[in-house]
Amino acid sequence: MEMQMSIVNMMHKRFVIIIAFMTLIGCTTKLAPSYDKNVVEQLSQLNVDTMVLMATISDGTSGDTFESRVDNYNNLIGRLDALALSAGARPVPESNIYSSISESLKKRGIANIPFDATKPASVYPITKISETITIIRNTDKKQGITQYEADTFKNQVQIYFDQAITYENFLQR
């Protein structure tokens, strides 16, 4: 009888542990906004369109041909700004993880990563792509762009697109 009670108690404890574990598994802490297929599709299309523009200026430009590109520049800048607004409008769950990361970096003497915890992480690189395209447009208009400048701008834009696309695709999981 005593052995049966011991077995029952042990089974009861296991059952409680299993229920507690299953409850914890069911509780997920959300640290990022929800995946938005529209944001990913727009971002992918903007990436293609931007790389096409970068290919057109890859050999360098001169100010006298700027008018043939100005509409492309303005179109991309407007669409990037609109996408940054749309992507940033998604609610981001509250979390203190970013302040913890910042504090840890500060203790190590490492500069804080520019991040606004109230917006999805893809908003920053999308905004930087728009700023870069604006600089390219203004430089092209003023003096034209050298091949070296075109390569440098393209590299910068690719880095930002990679960051934004990687983040957005990660949300799909």
Side-chain angles (χ1 to χ4, degrees):
M1 177 82 164
E2 197 173 303
M3 187 164 170
Q4 286 178 334
M5 289 300 285
S6 177
I7 291 172
V8 169
N9 283 338
M10 192 169 72
M11 289 177 67
H12 179 65
K13 287 179 184 177
R14 284 185 182 168
F15 179 74
V16 170
I17 291 171
I18 289 170
I19 294 297
F21 180 71
M22 291 179 77
T23 302
L24 288 174
I25 289 173
C27 296
T28 58
T29 301
K30 194 161 169 112
L31 299 175
S34 298
Y35 172 77
D36 185 335
K37 183 179 178 186
N38 188 43
V39 169
V40 172
E41 288 173 352
Q42 287 183 51
L43 188 57
S44 295
Q45 187 59 55
L46 279 162
N47 180 38
V48 170
D49 295 346
T50 301
M51 290 305 122
V52 168
L53 175 65
M54 298 311 290
T56 64
I57 67 170
S58 64
D59 288 334
T61 67
S62 62
D64 60 334
T65 61
F66 171 75
E67 288 301 318
S68 66
R69 292 179 297 283
V70 67
D71 289 340
N72 289 339
Y73 288 128
N74 292 337
N75 180 284
L76 286 172
I77 293 164
R79 289 170 50 211
L80 285 160
D81 290 346
L83 180 59
L85 185 62
S86 294
R90 292 176 293 173
V92 177
E94 282 192 39
S95 171
N96 64 356
I97 192 167
Y98 301 110
S99 59
S100 297
I101 291 169
S102 294
E103 190 62 35
S104 178
L105 291 172
K106 186 178 177 181
K107 287 179 183 175
R108 294 181 179 164
I110 300 171
N112 195 7
I113 299 169
F115 184 78
D116 181 354
T118 64
K119 296 184 190 279
S122 59
V123 173
Y124 178 79
I126 293 169
T127 302
K128 296 309 274 182
I129 296 165
S130 176
E131 290 173 7
T132 302
I133 300 297
T134 301
I135 292 168
I136 296 169
R137 180 196 62 194
N138 295 345
T139 304
D140 191 1
K141 180 180 181 180
K142 183 178 178 183
Q143 65 198 34
I145 297 172
T146 67
Q147 185 177 359
Y148 176 77
E149 289 170 327
D151 289 342
T152 302
F153 285 134
K154 180 181 177 183
N155 185 47
Q156 182 172 336
V157 166
Q158 285 175 322
I159 290 168
Y160 287 131
F161 266 115
D162 181 58
Q163 291 171 349
I165 291 169
T166 299
Y167 177 80
E168 290 297 333
N169 284 332
F170 179 79
L171 294 178
Q172 189 173 9
R173 297 177 188 237

